Amino acid sequence: MEHRFAHFITTGCFFTGGLILLTGFAVFTVALRETGEQFFSGLGLMGFIVSTVLWIIHLTYRFTIPVHAADELAATGTVPPYFQALREWAGLMFGVYIFMAYLSIASYGAALLKTNFLSKGFARTCIVTGFIFAFMNAAMIPGFDMPLEVPIVPYLIGVLLLITPQASVATTAETIQ
């Protein structure tokens, strides 16, 4: 494999980014729970936990099987017989990861609707974007299956939380009740 080092670096960065995204949502879930919002934030976190596990499975495949298959192809001139089946399996893990991650974003949007953290308009945007992207991905519409798209809305949530003056947790909790 000609670009083995770059392949490992890229895959390692995807792995690290997935864990950072999950950690950010775990912290965000704690903040949402302090306001009294438990259902949608819990649903979103569970979705991101499962989707991150699937993402890690897919990345583990990328770290190993294509590299081994490329080595075998270089040595023998043939692709190993198991390669296509494992490639399809890893593709399924990736597809389910993206689908669940987008549904989790929609769930966090619903959680945001119940708090004063961000605007209701942005919360609705998270919900609509999450559902549309999840189902566009499931329908296999090109352009909705790229791993770098998943973190866009979560990163926007993080940036907006950092720059938006926040209502106190107590005020937000009173609003929910």
Side-chain angles (χ1 to χ4, degrees):
M1 185 172 199
E2 185 176 326
H3 302 286
R4 186 180 304 251
F5 182 73
H7 174 73
F8 288 143
I9 293 296
T10 302
T11 304
C13 287
F14 276 132
F15 182 88
T16 303
L19 293 179
I20 291 170
L21 185 62
L22 178 60
T23 302
F25 270 118
V27 170
F28 186 42
T29 299
V30 170
L32 288 166
R33 288 182 177 211
E34 287 177 0
T35 69
E37 198 303 306
Q38 303 220 356
F39 179 74
F40 289 111
S41 61
L43 190 63
L45 182 59
M46 288 305 298
F48 262 111
I49 289 170
V50 171
S51 67
T52 300
V53 168
L54 296 174
W55 182 225
I56 289 170
I57 290 169
H58 174 79
L59 292 173
T60 302
Y61 157 83
R62 282 182 55 159
F63 263 124
T64 57
I65 303 302
V67 173
H68 183 269
D71 289 345
E72 192 168 324
L73 178 62
T76 66
T78 61
V79 175
Y82 60 81
F83 180 71
Q84 187 58 34
L86 286 175
R87 183 175 177 207
E88 290 172 14
W89 173 78
L92 179 62
M93 295 295 109
F94 178 75
V96 175
Y97 149 70
I98 286 189
F99 183 76
M100 290 188 69
Y102 283 136
L103 290 181
S104 295
I105 290 168
S107 185
Y108 277 107
L112 283 169
L113 272 178
K114 298 176 75 177
T115 69
N116 290 329
F117 282 137
L118 298 173
S119 75
K120 303 300 181 198
F122 183 75
R124 288 183 192 100
T125 300
C126 292
I127 294 168
V128 170
T129 301
F131 279 122
I132 288 174
F133 278 37
F135 290 102
M136 297 291 256
N137 173 262
M140 294 187 211
I141 295 173
F144 292 91
D145 60 350
M146 294 182 274
L148 291 176
E149 289 175 342
V150 170
I152 291 172
V153 173
Y155 291 155
L156 284 174
I157 291 171
V159 168
L160 289 172
L161 286 171
L162 288 173
I163 65 172
T164 303
Q166 299 297 309
S168 73
V169 171
T171 305
T172 304
E174 291 169 8
T175 303
I176 289 174
Q177 296 169 359

